[in-house]
Amino acid sequence: MKIHEYQAKEIFAKYGIPVPEGQMVTEVGDVRRFFEEKGGPVVVKAQIHAGGRGKGGGVKFTPTVEEAEQAAKDIMGMTLITHQTGPEGKLVQRLLVEKAANIDREMYLGFVMDRETSRVAIIASTEGGVEIEKVAAETPEKIIKIWIDPAVGLMPFQAREVCFKLGLEGTAFKGGVKMLQNLYRMFVEEDASMAEINPMIVTKEGEAMALDAKVNFDDNAAFRQKHHVELRDISEEDPLEVEASKFDLNYIKLDGKVGCMVNGAGLAMATMDLIKQCGSEPANFLDVGGSASAEGVENAFRILMSDKDVKCVLINIFGGIVRCDKVANGVVEAIRNIGNVEVPIVVRLEGTNAKEGLEIINNSGLNFHTAQGFADAAKKAADLAEGIGGA
Amino acid sequence: MAILLKEHTKVMVQGLGKEGQFHAEKMLECGTKVVAGIRPGKAGQDVLGIPCFNTVADAKAATGANASIIFVPSPFAADAVMEAIDAELELVVLITEGIPTLDMVKVKNKLKNSKTNLIGPNCPGIITPGVGKMGILPVSIFMPGKCGVISRSGTLTYEVAAQLTAVGIGQSTCIGIGGDPVIGTSHRDALEMFNNDPDTDMVALIGEIGGTDEEIAAEYIKNHMTKPVVAFIAGSTAPKGKRMGHAGAIIAGGKGTAAEKKEALRAAGVAVADSPADVGVTAKRILEG
Ligand SMILES: Nc1ncnc2c1ncn2[C@@H]1O[C@H](COP(=O)(O)OP(=O)(O)O)[C@@H](O)[C@H]1O
Ligand SMILES: [Mg+2]
């Protein structure tokens, strides 16, 4: 789960990580009030679930109250396009207005799950404010990487090592060490999957501070992080994906024409791949889960049908413990319940009771296209979506 | 004699709830030696004729069980695995999905220098056709044979296994290693076991986008593998930054694409099928030289 910068900074503050004094606003007028109360200069920042806002014009430094107000007017309501939003961009509905820091140096600090070592890794660099992937690719020697033993946690010597390598001194060094320790404590206690401070800065006054904050939480830990629910901003998510998540369906909207309904994530990806090889494009990723229940199938179908780009639906079910005849009944029932489904539907059933399942499909009186095998199914669906042949 | 799940494997079930019982019964039906169940506080009771114990250590001492399959719900799953590792079981299969990653980080740490091989979490389990299964895989699509199968996913594993059965090759052992970012047994670990198994003539490796497990496997194949390997990588069409169902299946920071993985495997001499429908025929072509 992703959260906004202002929310991440509130959490940072709770864990003793210094951040600029600031306030989230949804009304442009509140920016003026903040400026007049706290004094300037301030920085006005678009709050969207994506980085790279500075380059995209979503972060403005403003020394006067008039400029602050103008910046707020400009940014609020704009569609911000950054390298992380995709070409369609994201609508800005919230701003963070905060006191401008007196930046001496910008650095990078991140905590991530490192899959190769199965440990939390600290990634740091003297090159802050820029994309860390770029630094890693172009100047890998400027990346500091340290792994944390989960049995003992982040040791002080490790935090010191990172801060020495970042070239911190005096009060900034002390503050940096503390910041690392507090950030690790936050990471573990809040079940984060990523925590990134880019830039982490040293101010002219010699204080280490987090100027940006990006935190993702591990969805699997939601059961023990109940307070995270309040941090979710569903206006940042795709509406169809939000709808699907209500039914525990795993759905991701894509750009193609073939709506896919598959049981199992791996098979769902493989189905998308095969559709592309057959000359069309998948409209979505959709895993209806291992059980593929009638209710699940019906909900899935409604979501596929509300995507107007879908020209054909491919149902690819590999029955295991779930029997295909049961799934077939679910599919038939779902389509009867929804009524007037006009797009062609290709069905492929394999595995346990596949024959019985196909009989149900064929005897339903509904207009299904049945397929012999995986490749045949994908070919038929792709052709139907592209209007090729009469499949 | 296949790998991990063999004739000598005696299984206990941790988490004998509704799901655990359902699958324990299926495991018994195909000949798996299921000898004990763990139900804290209910020692002395029977479920499906399986004696229940309070702790893994008790069950091991009383029945000689050397393996465990875990269906315990995600909040308590890490604790259950720790208990099994502590009791020095040889093989633990963790079916549970949705375990917090930081819990798995601790489990993985405890696995080091332990006597336990962990498969999973978030996996369909393991089957040695003709011997037994620990997991939720449908027995009917498998056939005793010569090809080892390693896969991160569930139904895609079945798809490939069914293809291997259809072309008459069959499987020595089939392992679903799981789709999470932190898992017990990696592609590379399983490859090494198959490489050392006299009953395995070739291996089918089914990978997917995300992480670098397949690249590490390719490195192992290049340097050590003496048997042919066929592969398929799912997710060529997956967009960057979107998680494709499995927590581990995500192209992040420009890394973990299907193209990179295929290239690494091809460079290591692996026959990579571009179509998921062609793994069986590709395997047959290679086996027949
Ligand atoms: N409170 C602040 N005071 C001074 N400069 C800031 C402040 N917040 C951001 N900046 C500057 O703006 C740049 C971009 O802001 P940041 O929060 O990193 O957004 P993004 O990473 O999305 O571009 C920072 O690298 C920093 O130089
Ligand atoms: Mg930034």
Side-chain angles (χ1 to χ4, degrees):
Chain A
M1 183 182 120
K2 291 180 178 173
I3 60 171
H4 286 293
E5 175 196 7
Y6 78 90
Q7 296 168 320
K9 281 181 168 167
E10 279 167 17
I11 296 172
F12 279 7
K14 240 194 285 171
Y15 282 87
I17 298 163
V19 293
E21 188 179 2
Q23 189 190 331
M24 191 279 286
V25 307
T26 52
E27 302 292 333
V28 168
D30 288 337
V31 170
R32 169 178 277 271
R33 208 159 305 135
F34 180 89
F35 195 108
E36 283 168 352
E37 238 169 69
K38 310 287 179 189
V42 304
V43 176
V44 179
K45 309 177 79 174
Q47 297 297 288
I48 54 169
H49 284 183
R53 297 160 302 164
K55 269 193 202 144
V59 177
K60 290 228 168 83
F61 172 88
T62 54
T64 68
V65 73
E66 289 75 24
E67 285 166 283
E69 204 159 31
Q70 190 56 50
K73 279 183 193 154
D74 292 345
I75 297 173
M76 186 75 92
M78 83 184 280
T79 300
L80 188 53
I81 300 171
T82 81
H83 69 280
Q84 287 181 6
T85 60
E88 69 280 9
K90 277 200 151 147
L91 180 69
V92 181
Q93 295 168 298
R94 304 169 187 219
L95 302 175
L96 172 63
V97 49
E98 63 181 15
K99 299 269 289 183
N102 245 330
I103 304 173
D104 184 37
R105 277 182 58 202
E106 297 198 355
M107 293 156 288
Y108 175 93
L109 176 63
F111 280 53
V112 293
M113 262 311 308
D114 182 55
R115 293 170 61 165
E116 251 172 71
T117 55
S118 299
R119 291 187 165 192
V120 176
I122 301 176
I123 297 172
S125 175
T126 51
E127 307 303 296
V130 284
E131 267 173 75
I132 196 67
E133 283 101 29
K134 236 185 195 161
V135 180
E138 286 163 17
T139 47
E141 71 279 2
K142 286 188 172 155
I143 298 279
I144 304 159
K145 214 167 171 185
I146 292 223
W147 290 267
I148 301 168
D149 180 342
V152 296
L154 174 65
M155 297 302 289
F157 80 87
Q158 293 181 302
R160 287 198 302 272
E161 185 181 336
V162 173
C163 291
F164 279 127
K165 286 188 172 155
L166 285 175
L168 299 181
E169 288 169 345
T171 52
F173 179 87
K174 274 195 199 137
V177 169
K178 238 171 129 188
M179 185 185 277
L180 278 157
Q181 287 172 313
N182 287 333
L183 193 58
Y184 181 68
R185 197 161 56 83
M186 188 286 294
F187 196 96
V188 172
E189 285 178 19
E190 302 282 335
D191 274 300
S193 55
M194 201 234 0
E196 186 179 72
I197 303 178
N198 188 19
M200 165 189 173
I201 61 153
V202 176
T203 63
K204 295 235 163 73
E205 299 79 26
E207 193 193 358
M209 192 185 253
L211 265 211
D212 192 3
K214 203 166 162 191
V215 173
N216 293 353
F217 295 124
D218 176 5
D219 296 331
N220 285 353
F223 68 86
R224 64 184 178 203
Q225 301 289 355
K226 297 246 157 59
H227 62 288
H228 288 171
V229 179
E230 296 152 31
L231 302 176
R232 186 168 172 198
D233 178 1
I234 56 169
S235 70
E236 287 284 323
E237 300 170 32
D238 182 282
L240 284 179
E241 290 174 23
V242 173
E243 188 63 21
S245 72
K246 282 186 204 153
F247 303 113
D248 270 328
L249 292 169
N250 232 313
Y251 171 91
I252 289 166
K253 169 98 180 74
L254 303 167
D255 299 328
K257 295 181 194 165
V258 181
C260 305
M261 188 190 302
V262 188
N263 66 331
L267 189 61
M269 274 190 278
T271 304
M272 290 159 47
D273 297 346
L274 200 46
I275 287 167
K276 177 150 189 170
Q277 281 175 28
C278 293
S280 192
E281 295 271 350
N284 63 278
F285 166 92
L286 173 59
D287 170 12
V288 291
S291 63
S293 65
E295 201 194 350
V297 170
E298 184 170 335
N299 289 326
F301 231 97
R302 286 187 195 280
I303 286 157
L304 288 190
M305 287 301 99
S306 54
D307 177 353
K308 294 300 161 224
D309 299 333
V310 169
K311 297 284 175 279
C312 172
V313 171
L314 170 55
I315 301 178
N316 186 14
I317 302 288
F318 204 109
I321 299 304
V322 193
R323 296 177 353 233
C324 286
D325 51 339
K326 220 178 124 200
V327 177
N329 275 323
V331 169
V332 170
E333 202 184 305
I335 289 167
R336 289 220 171 99
N337 286 345
I338 296 169
N340 59 41
V341 173
E342 269 155 28
V343 298
I345 302 166
V346 178
V347 184
R348 185 257 180 156
L349 300 172
E350 197 75 61
T352 317
N353 289 9
K355 240 176 63 199
E356 291 83 345
L358 278 176
E359 253 161 50
I360 292 166
I361 295 285
N362 286 328
N363 296 335
S364 67
L366 294 166
N367 187 22
F368 288 111
H369 301 255
T370 50
Q372 297 304 315
F374 196 179
D376 182 44
K379 180 85 175 66
K380 274 190 176 138
D383 285 352
L384 283 163
E386 299 298 324
I388 298 170
Chain B
M1 185 55 265
I3 66 165
L4 294 168
L5 174 53
K6 307 186 197 180
E7 298 282 359
H8 81 280
T9 306
K10 290 166 93 177
V11 182
M12 67 176 79
V13 182
Q14 286 175 266
L16 258 182
K18 210 174 128 214
E19 197 199 351
Q21 285 184 34
F22 176 82
H23 290 292
E25 202 166 1
K26 301 265 174 213
M27 284 159 54
L28 283 164
E29 276 169 21
C30 70
T32 322
K33 299 179 189 83
V34 182
V35 299
I38 309 302
R39 304 186 89 190
K42 307 231 168 103
Q45 294 184 2
D46 265 30
V47 174
L48 308 165
I50 306 165
C52 291
F53 299 87
N54 282 334
T55 67
V56 171
D58 287 352
K60 183 185 173 184
T63 65
N66 50 15
S68 175
I69 180 160
I70 301 178
F71 293 101
V72 171
S74 57
F76 319 106
D79 184 47
V81 193
M82 300 277 195
E83 186 180 358
I85 298 170
D86 231 40
E88 304 192 333
L89 299 187
E90 290 168 26
L91 175 62
V92 176
V93 178
L94 180 53
I95 303 294
T96 311
E97 62 179 303
I99 301 174
T101 307
L102 288 174
D103 286 7
M104 279 311 301
V105 167
K106 285 187 193 153
V107 167
K108 187 84 182 181
N109 201 49
K110 193 171 167 76
L111 272 177
K112 264 183 225 159
N113 308 318
S114 79
K115 300 209 163 83
T116 303
N117 279 303
L118 173 69
I119 295 173
N122 190 12
C123 77
I126 174 170
I127 183 166
T128 298
V131 174
K133 71 161 176 171
M134 291 172 72
I136 60 175
L137 317 92
V139 178
S140 62
I141 56 169
F142 295 91
M143 176 178 99
K146 293 288 184 187
C147 185
V149 180
I150 315 163
S151 168
R152 278 215 232 165
S153 91
T155 43
L156 183 56
T157 314
Y158 310 161
E159 176 71 49
V160 168
Q163 288 176 25
L164 289 168
T165 298
V167 296
I169 294 177
Q171 309 82 22
S172 54
T173 296
C174 175
I175 314 174
I177 58 176
D180 279 1
V182 178
I183 52 176
T185 298
S186 65
H187 276 301
R188 187 212 165 280
D189 300 336
L191 275 171
E192 186 170 10
M193 291 183 234
F194 279 128
N195 206 21
N196 295 330
D197 172 35
D199 285 345
T200 298
D201 289 350
M202 71 182 305
V203 178
L205 184 151
I206 312 303
E208 62 188 35
I209 52 160
T212 51
D213 217 20
E214 290 79 2
E215 284 87 336
I216 292 167
E219 194 63 28
Y220 174 81
I221 292 167
K222 196 160 82 190
N223 296 324
H224 303 287
M225 199 75 190
T226 57
K227 302 172 184 180
V229 179
V230 297
F232 171 74
I233 305 293
S236 295
T237 42
K240 253 193 214 170
K242 294 271 187 182
R243 179 171 303 170
M244 291 287 144
H246 292 154
I250 183 166
I251 301 168
K255 271 186 109 180
T257 65
E260 282 171 325
K261 291 172 189 292
K262 286 186 195 176
E263 197 182 298
L265 288 164
R266 286 204 173 107
V270 174
V272 181
D274 276 317
S275 163
D278 289 346
V279 180
V281 290
T282 307
K284 192 165 173 71
R285 183 162 45 74
I286 284 175
L287 212 57
E288 287 170 357

